[in-house]
């Protein structure tokens, strides 16, 4: 046998042992890397966690790993290299869920919620702890794909939608009064096409005496197995509000603008009318939907005192309401704190309750394995003022402020820089943070 064939045979004979050695070394290396890898990406330490879904109202640490809640415990060992943020003295809650907003911006259509009345969401949601927002009917089955491509697919905020029973949605002019464009089957078909995004059917702003918009919205909701949200529009004697919530709406359907002036809420003695409690008992949901014209203290205050409180707190965010009495989600939540609703209940009405109403119970909680959407809030004490949609003022002593928001495991709002190191300790510094946990530093 010549030298070449002798070496070749020797290598063939040794190959299994050689491969085994490589395998063993690679396994040991991978194990060492995994062992050295930090167990978490971000730990929020020492905050007062309020997670109504899981019954937590106590000081806890919260750990995040791979965009998910990894642990909630009394003390979490962060490990080397993990970003730890001291949130002691602050409240840590699930990311807020605002189920009534208008964010179909960018179409250029004047005087329309499918246009200039809407706002791009990220500039108004994340800074107030809102990580999930539900557009309330700005688009219908005809223009929902445009809304999805224009806003939903481009937003950091999780955007879901109630699709309007009107095919053209909330366009300007008489579109919302067109009964011929209220197609239950086309609306349901669009909802079934996008089940992870479209969470309900909306009817709004109708002026006529017919029940047609409500009836077709309920028909579409029944086909698609999703709830209906009703903004009752002009209140007419031919279609009484009492009938709406007592028989027209199904259990799980939502009456928004619950403290609107037109809602027949209080009797001559100031007592909440019994039909409202009866409607709630049969399963109708009552949502705030503050907006620019739908929340009065003279309705809300006596109702809250008598136990007719919201199932869900929402803003009806649009470019008018945000600069008037509504302002933002935390302002609306603070109103209810000052009306006597407990902080735990206010958080529940702004997280797990609305998530349940839209059949997305995976949201609005800090369960291990859930998406890491978190609001870190400061409850300020002092002398504050709050305004309703008729311009009346209420004095208050408490106000919620958002210190930090985490969306999908990354910090996207940090009011006072609590995630940051002091610049005087950094020397000749460059961009700080890590893409693992930081969503606030924009690469040049």
């Amino acid at each position: 046998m010549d030298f070449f064939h002798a070496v070749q045979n020797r290598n063939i004979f040794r190959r299994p042992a050689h491969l085994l050695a490589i395998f063993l070394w690679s396994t040991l290396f991978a194990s060492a890397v995994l062992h050295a890898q930090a167990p978490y990406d971000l730990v929020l330490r020492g905050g007062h966690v309020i997670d109504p879904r899981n019954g937590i109202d106590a000081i806890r640490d919260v750990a995040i790993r791979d965009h998910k809640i990894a642990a909630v415990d009394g003390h979490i060992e962060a490990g080397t290299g993990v970003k730890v943020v001291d949130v002691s003295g602050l409240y840590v809650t699930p990311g807020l869920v605002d189920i009534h907003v208008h964010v179909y911006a960018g179409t250029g259509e004047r005087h329309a919620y499918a246009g200039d009345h809407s706002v791009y969401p990220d500039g108004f949601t994340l800074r107030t702890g809102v990580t999930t927002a539900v557009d309330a009917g700005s688009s219908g089955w005809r223009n929902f794909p445009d809304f999805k491509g224009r806003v939903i697919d481009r937003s950091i905020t999780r955007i879901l939608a109630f699709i309007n029973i009107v095919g053209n949605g909330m366009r300007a002019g008489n579109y919302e009064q067109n009964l011929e464009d209220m197609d239950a089957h086309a609306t349901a078909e669009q909802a079934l096409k996008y089940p992870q995004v479209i969470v309900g059917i909306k009817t709004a702003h109708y002026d006529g005496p017919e029940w047609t918009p409500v009836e077709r919205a309920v028909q579409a909701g029944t086909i698609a197995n999703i709830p209906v949200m009703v903004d009752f529009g002009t209140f007419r004697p031919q279609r009484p509000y009492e009938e709406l919530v007592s028989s027209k709406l199904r259990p799980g359907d939502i009456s928004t603008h619950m403290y609107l002036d037109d809602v027949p809420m209080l009797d001559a003695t100031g007592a909440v009318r019994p039909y409202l409690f009866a409607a709630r008992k049969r399963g109708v949901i009552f949502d705030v939907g503050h907006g620019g014209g739908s929340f009065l203290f003279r309705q809300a205050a006596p109702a809250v005192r008598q136990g007719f409180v919201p199932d869900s707190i929402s803003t009806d965010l649009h470019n008018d309401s945000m600069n008037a009495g509504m302002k933002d989600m935390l302002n609306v939540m603070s109103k209810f704190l000052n009306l006597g609703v407990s902080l735990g209940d206010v958080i529940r009405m702004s997280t797990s309750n609305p998530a349940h109403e839209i059949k997305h119970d995976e949201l609005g909680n800090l369960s291990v394995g859930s998406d890491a959407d978190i609001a870190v809030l400061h409850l300020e004490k002092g002398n504050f003022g709050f305004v309703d949609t008729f311009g009346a003022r209420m004095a208050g002593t408490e106000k919620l402020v958002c210190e930090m928001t985490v969306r999908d495991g990354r910090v996207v709002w940090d009011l006072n820089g609590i995630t940051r190191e002091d610049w005087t300790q950094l020397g000749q510094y460059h961009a700080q943070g890590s893409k693992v946990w930081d969503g606030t530093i924009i690469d040049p």
Side-chain angles (χ1 to χ4, degrees), residues 60 64 86 105 182 229 272 284 295 311 373 402 417-418 435 440:
R60 292 286 187 271
I64 296 167
D86 182 4
M182 300 179 189
M229 176 184 278
V272 176
V284 172
F295 179 89
D311 292 298
D373 292 349
C402 184
I418 60 176
K435 290 183 179 180
T440 66

Side-chain angles (χ1 to χ4, degrees), residues 173-189:
N174 292 319
Y175 284 102
E176 292 179 280
Q177 311 308 315
N178 183 4
L179 296 176
E180 298 301 317
D181 199 30
M182 300 179 189
D183 188 325
H185 290 281
T187 302
E189 183 179 354

Side-chain angles (χ1 to χ4, degrees), residues 36-49:
Q37 192 174 24
Y40 305 115
D41 299 327
L42 176 66
V43 172
L44 307 183
R45 174 147 292 160
H48 187 144
V49 173

Side-chain angles (χ1 to χ4, degrees), residues 334-413:
S334 297
K335 288 173 180 175
F336 285 95
L337 282 178
N338 288 281
L339 286 170
V341 181
S342 71
L343 178 60
D345 282 342
V346 166
I347 298 301
R348 177 173 53 80
M349 296 167 182
S350 308
T351 56
S352 56
N353 271 20
H356 182 69
E357 292 167 19
I358 60 173
K359 299 186 178 184
H360 278 267
D361 285 313
E362 76 278 9
L363 305 177
N365 65 77
L366 299 177
S367 302
V368 172
S370 294
D371 288 352
D373 292 349
I374 300 172
V376 179
L377 308 177
H378 180 211
L379 184 58
E380 294 186 349
K381 304 287 186 176
N383 295 314
F384 308 108
F386 303 93
V387 178
D388 71 13
T389 57
F390 277 9
R393 184 180 189 271
M394 178 185 73
T397 59
E398 297 179 308
K399 182 173 71 171
L400 287 165
V401 174
C402 184
E403 285 288 339
M404 187 172 76
T405 304
V406 176
R407 167 74 179 104
D408 195 32
R410 299 201 306 164
V411 176
V412 291
W413 169 255

Side-chain angles (χ1 to χ4, degrees), residues 157-345:
T157 312
R158 179 188 294 102
I159 303 298
L160 306 174
F162 286 92
I163 189 171
N164 205 304
I165 191 61
V166 178
N168 278 285
M170 294 183 179
R171 296 186 62 189
N174 292 319
Y175 284 102
E176 292 179 280
Q177 311 308 315
N178 183 4
L179 296 176
E180 298 301 317
D181 199 30
M182 300 179 189
D183 188 325
H185 290 281
T187 302
E189 183 179 354
Q190 194 75 292
L192 290 168
K193 184 177 179 180
Y194 299 100
Q196 298 305 313
V197 180
I198 296 177
V199 298
I201 311 296
K202 177 74 181 294
T203 174
H205 305 160
Y206 186 62
D207 290 335
E210 301 90 350
W211 282 105
T212 305
V214 171
E215 290 170 347
R216 291 188 185 168
V218 169
Q219 183 184 1
T222 300
I223 295 169
N225 192 29
I226 50 180
V228 169
M229 176 184 278
V230 176
D231 165 350
F232 208 33
T234 303
F235 284 54
R236 299 285 188 186
Q238 298 93 331
R239 48 180 178 89
Y241 179 79
E242 181 173 351
E243 185 177 348
L244 172 75
V245 298
S246 299
S247 62
K248 290 291 185 180
L249 295 184
R250 306 161 299 167
D253 287 340
I254 303 165
S255 175
T256 192
H257 304 319
M258 64 181 292
Y259 298 119
L260 178 72
D261 181 43
D262 288 332
V263 171
M265 179 168 291
L266 308 174
D267 65 19
T269 69
V272 176
R273 296 178 186 271
Y275 81 90
L276 292 167
F277 292 108
R280 168 167 284 161
K281 186 175 181 180
R282 78 178 192 88
V284 172
I285 303 298
F286 290 91
D287 172 66
V288 173
H290 188 299
S294 303
F295 179 89
L296 296 184
F297 289 126
R298 61 174 168 80
Q299 291 271 70
V304 169
R305 284 196 300 268
Q306 296 173 60
F308 190 62
V309 297
D311 292 298
S312 51
I313 292 173
S314 67
T315 61
D316 187 12
L317 170 70
H318 51 81
N319 71 340
D320 294 325
S321 64
M322 69 186 188
N323 291 324
M326 188 280 289
K327 295 180 175 62
D328 57 40
M329 185 68 167
L330 293 176
N331 189 275
V332 180
M333 292 166 66
S334 297
K335 288 173 180 175
F336 285 95
L337 282 178
N338 288 281
L339 286 170
V341 181
S342 71
L343 178 60
D345 282 342

